[in-house]
Amino acid sequence: AFELMEKDEL
Amino acid sequence: MNIFRLTGDLSHLAAIIILLLKIWKTRSCAGISGKSQLLFALVFTTRYLDLFTSFISLYNTSMKLIYVACSYATVYLIYMKFKATYDGNHDTFRVEFLVVPVGGLSFLVNHDFSPLEILWTFSIYLESVAILPQLFMISKTGEAETITTHYLFFLGLYRALYLINWIWRYYFEGFFDLIAVVAGVVQTILYCDFFYLYVTKVLKGKKLSLPA
């Protein structure tokens, strides 16, 4: 599955 | 962090502050779509729930808090404090036609079927169309105050800068998020005719008036 990138954008 | 994302965030912050100050200083929200501001408050609420679950940086956390605080303050000024100046007769866009499809799509197309991820996806899709009530209101009134056009310019510019940020991050970091990119392209396209009017009229000192 698409590994969840940490959401570092606003 | 890269210069495009930083200037994008600052452009977004500028837009939010310009609008809040415009309403506060003139004690009037004439020409402002309360519905769009409600949608933006919903966008920030559903996107920044991770404030409670993860800490990324002081910048990230403080900007999120500022965005949420300012958007709620703006909604409060429009619907409570300066309610008498709210132009409800022209703010008639049916937001349910935005929220329902966006809500459905966020369940169908997302990166992960978890509550936080679906809410994030919902906020990304919603943000791309949240300005429609405001643009619709301007088309109905046929004009916009100059300060409102500056608000819209910076708001539209922020996501356009994010598009460049995503090109940068794809090229240098291999980072790519199709959902954010597609929604960002749609969002920026919605501003195109406004950008044209802004450059050809407002920047030449004329008032922004649409051919009624």
Side-chain angles (χ1 to χ4, degrees):
Chain A
F2 174 94
E3 82 285 349
L4 286 186
M5 305 276 283
E6 189 178 53
K7 303 212 182 311
D8 63 345
E9 294 185 342
L10 292 179
Chain B
M1 173 61 80
N2 60 67
I3 186 65
F4 301 108
R5 181 145 69 104
L6 182 60
T7 42
D9 289 340
L10 296 178
S11 180
H12 194 185
L13 182 64
I16 291 171
I17 301 294
I18 284 173
L19 180 66
L20 195 55
L21 284 182
K22 174 251 187 272
I23 298 175
W24 180 254
K25 294 277 188 195
T26 65
R27 304 182 70 75
S28 161
C29 58
I32 303 298
S33 164
K35 294 187 173 186
S36 275
Q37 297 312 312
L38 278 172
L39 293 178
F40 284 125
L42 183 58
V43 164
F44 293 138
T45 305
T46 52
R47 187 177 302 180
Y48 298 156
L49 293 173
D50 63 352
L51 274 168
F52 304 111
T53 59
S54 66
F55 177 81
I56 291 159
S57 69
L58 193 60
Y59 171 82
N60 189 277
T61 300
S62 50
M63 287 292 269
K64 286 176 178 176
L65 290 173
I66 292 170
Y67 285 2
V68 169
C70 289
S71 71
Y72 276 89
T74 302
V75 168
Y76 164 75
L77 292 183
I78 292 174
Y79 284 104
M80 319 267 221
K81 194 160 178 59
F82 302 127
K83 183 180 174 58
T85 65
Y86 171 56
D87 181 7
N89 298 322
H90 289 108
D91 190 14
T92 55
F93 195 96
R94 304 286 300 278
V95 291
E96 55 272 30
F97 291 164
L98 298 177
V99 175
V100 174
V102 156
L105 188 63
S106 60
F107 271 91
L108 296 173
V109 181
N110 52 58
H111 290 315
D112 181 53
F113 204 77
S114 66
L116 262 182
E117 190 65 26
I118 287 182
L119 284 171
W120 176 83
T121 308
F122 171 79
S123 87
I124 290 289
Y125 293 152
L126 185 61
E127 188 191 4
S128 63
V129 292
I131 201 62
L132 282 176
Q134 179 65 67
L135 297 178
F136 179 75
M137 182 174 188
I138 290 178
S139 69
K140 278 196 80 172
T141 56
E143 61 172 9
E145 288 182 39
T146 300
I147 188 71
T148 307
T149 62
H150 296 319
Y151 157 70
L152 286 169
F153 171 73
F154 285 112
L155 196 59
L157 179 65
Y158 125 76
R159 214 62 181 174
L161 287 167
Y162 255 71
L163 294 178
I164 305 173
N165 152 65
W166 286 321
I167 295 169
W168 176 281
R169 292 191 73 182
Y170 179 70
Y171 187 73
F172 289 105
E173 300 169 29
F175 170 87
F176 183 67
D177 184 337
L178 185 62
I179 287 178
V181 170
V182 171
V185 168
V186 168
Q187 181 170 338
T188 305
I189 288 175
L190 291 178
Y191 283 85
C192 283
D193 64 330
F194 165 77
F195 281 144
Y196 173 75
L197 289 169
Y198 184 78
V199 172
T200 56
K201 288 195 173 177
V202 179
L203 292 190
K204 290 188 168 55
K206 295 182 198 136
K207 189 160 174 53
L208 186 126
S209 58
L210 301 174

